[in-house]
Amino acid sequence: MHLKQMRKYRFRAETVLIACLLGSVVPASSQAKNISPSSPEHVSVQKEITRYLDKQVRRYAASIGSDDYQISLQPPAKLPPCNQPLRQTLSEPTKPLGRLSVTLECHQPNYWKARVRAEVAIFLPLVVAKQPLSRRQTITRADLSLKRSDLAHMRYGYFTHIDAVAGLTSRRKIAAGKVISPRMVEAPELVKRNEEVIIEARMGGMTAKMKGMALESGAEGESIRVRNLSSGKEIYATVIGRQRVQTTF
């Protein structure tokens, strides 16, 4: 063996001996390494996250009457090792819908925390305009249809039954195919301001009817001011039908 090679070998041996005495040498096979995206461990973690997400989304979807949903998971490139089941929490636990994140937490062998992005779509048949609707138009069943829609995009609410919309009045123009939200429609006014109405006054089991004048317009169920034409007294009464209001004494 050449002198140069002997010195090199002696240096390596001394280095290993010193490291062993200090307790800092760990066999390469037991050193902690990040989990590669292509490793079986990474695939197992991804399945664990997917199962957790599916359980949460399926439960929420069922609570709103749907079993039609899709989950798109974007796992991180690498994850540190973990010797125990991951603790997982959702950014939106009560409403897992749209863009959200799953926080992963591990305590063994070392504490670490990571975040995984996901996108959830839950579908329901929603009421849409079958044809263009003009402003202040009374909507009929023929104007409406149902369309499979992603609830993640429904920021202002929606209707799932055509009967809930038929008979209402559009507040503004509504394009064909547009999902109808509660803010787009309103109940039609059954009583107009300065219009003569019939006042039904109830007291116990007795009912009396008299003529009145509406001082405000109102839809069914709304309380408006009316004037009793016989006494001239102003009262509040509830709209119960076309040109009909009711009050209780």
Side-chain angles (χ1 to χ4, degrees), residues 103-132:
T103 299
L104 312 176
E105 194 173 354
C106 178
H107 293 268
Q108 295 292 336
N110 298 303
Y111 177 79
W112 57 264
K113 185 183 287 188
R115 186 171 294 169
V116 178
R117 301 290 182 182
E119 189 157 350
V120 175
I122 299 178
F123 301 93
L124 272 176
L126 303 184
V127 179
V128 301
K130 192 174 182 180
Q131 52 202 15

Side-chain angles (χ1 to χ4, degrees), residues 7-120:
R7 287 176 178 174
K8 186 175 182 181
Y9 175 80
R10 185 180 300 167
F11 173 76
R12 288 181 178 176
E14 289 174 350
T15 302
V16 172
L17 177 61
I18 293 171
C20 287
L21 291 174
L22 294 176
S24 60
V25 171
V26 180
S29 60
S30 63
Q31 290 180 354
K33 297 181 179 179
N34 282 357
I35 301 175
S36 167
S38 59
S39 68
E41 293 90 345
H42 188 275
V43 174
S44 177
V45 169
Q46 185 170 344
K47 287 182 178 180
E48 189 176 342
I49 299 170
T50 301
R51 282 196 298 268
Y52 170 77
L53 260 179
D54 185 79
K55 180 180 179 181
Q56 303 302 317
V57 174
R58 182 172 67 252
R59 180 184 301 167
Y60 174 70
S63 72
I64 58 175
S66 174
D67 59 0
D68 184 5
Y69 61 89
Q70 295 175 359
I71 300 173
S72 177
L73 182 65
Q74 298 178 342
K78 290 184 179 181
L79 286 174
C82 189
N83 295 341
Q84 58 184 196
L86 291 171
R87 180 182 178 184
Q88 304 181 67
T89 54
L90 272 174
S91 58
E92 298 292 339
T94 59
K95 191 178 180 181
L97 181 64
R99 293 182 181 178
L100 47 80
S101 63
V102 181
T103 299
L104 312 176
E105 194 173 354
C106 178
H107 293 268
Q108 295 292 336
N110 298 303
Y111 177 79
W112 57 264
K113 185 183 287 188
R115 186 171 294 169
V116 178
R117 301 290 182 182
E119 189 157 350
V120 175

Side-chain angles (χ1 to χ4, degrees), residues 69-226:
Y69 61 89
Q70 295 175 359
I71 300 173
S72 177
L73 182 65
Q74 298 178 342
K78 290 184 179 181
L79 286 174
C82 189
N83 295 341
Q84 58 184 196
L86 291 171
R87 180 182 178 184
Q88 304 181 67
T89 54
L90 272 174
S91 58
E92 298 292 339
T94 59
K95 191 178 180 181
L97 181 64
R99 293 182 181 178
L100 47 80
S101 63
V102 181
T103 299
L104 312 176
E105 194 173 354
C106 178
H107 293 268
Q108 295 292 336
N110 298 303
Y111 177 79
W112 57 264
K113 185 183 287 188
R115 186 171 294 169
V116 178
R117 301 290 182 182
E119 189 157 350
V120 175
I122 299 178
F123 301 93
L124 272 176
L126 303 184
V127 179
V128 301
K130 192 174 182 180
Q131 52 202 15
L133 303 177
S134 58
R135 184 176 180 273
R136 308 304 305 169
Q137 177 178 337
T138 299
I139 303 172
T140 67
R141 289 182 58 87
D143 298 320
L144 306 169
S145 63
L146 294 174
K147 178 183 177 182
R148 180 177 181 263
S149 306
D150 182 2
L151 302 187
H153 304 300
M154 303 297 109
R155 297 179 57 188
Y156 303 110
Y158 51 83
F159 294 95
T160 56
H161 296 91
I162 287 178
D163 288 339
V165 182
L168 300 181
T169 301
S170 55
R171 290 178 180 267
R172 58 178 177 82
K173 292 182 179 180
I174 303 176
K178 183 76 173 178
V179 174
I180 297 177
S181 69
R183 65 187 300 174
M184 296 179 184
V185 294
E186 62 184 0
E189 292 181 345
L190 298 180
V191 172
K192 305 292 185 181
R193 183 172 179 268
N194 295 328
E195 184 178 59
E196 189 172 293
V197 296
I198 297 298
I199 303 173
E200 293 185 8
R202 291 191 174 185
M203 180 179 293
M206 300 178 60
T207 301
K209 295 183 179 182
M210 60 208 75
K211 291 184 178 181
M213 176 70 68
L215 303 179
E216 297 174 308
S217 299
E220 185 174 5
E222 291 184 337
S223 179
I224 62 172
R225 288 186 303 118
V226 296

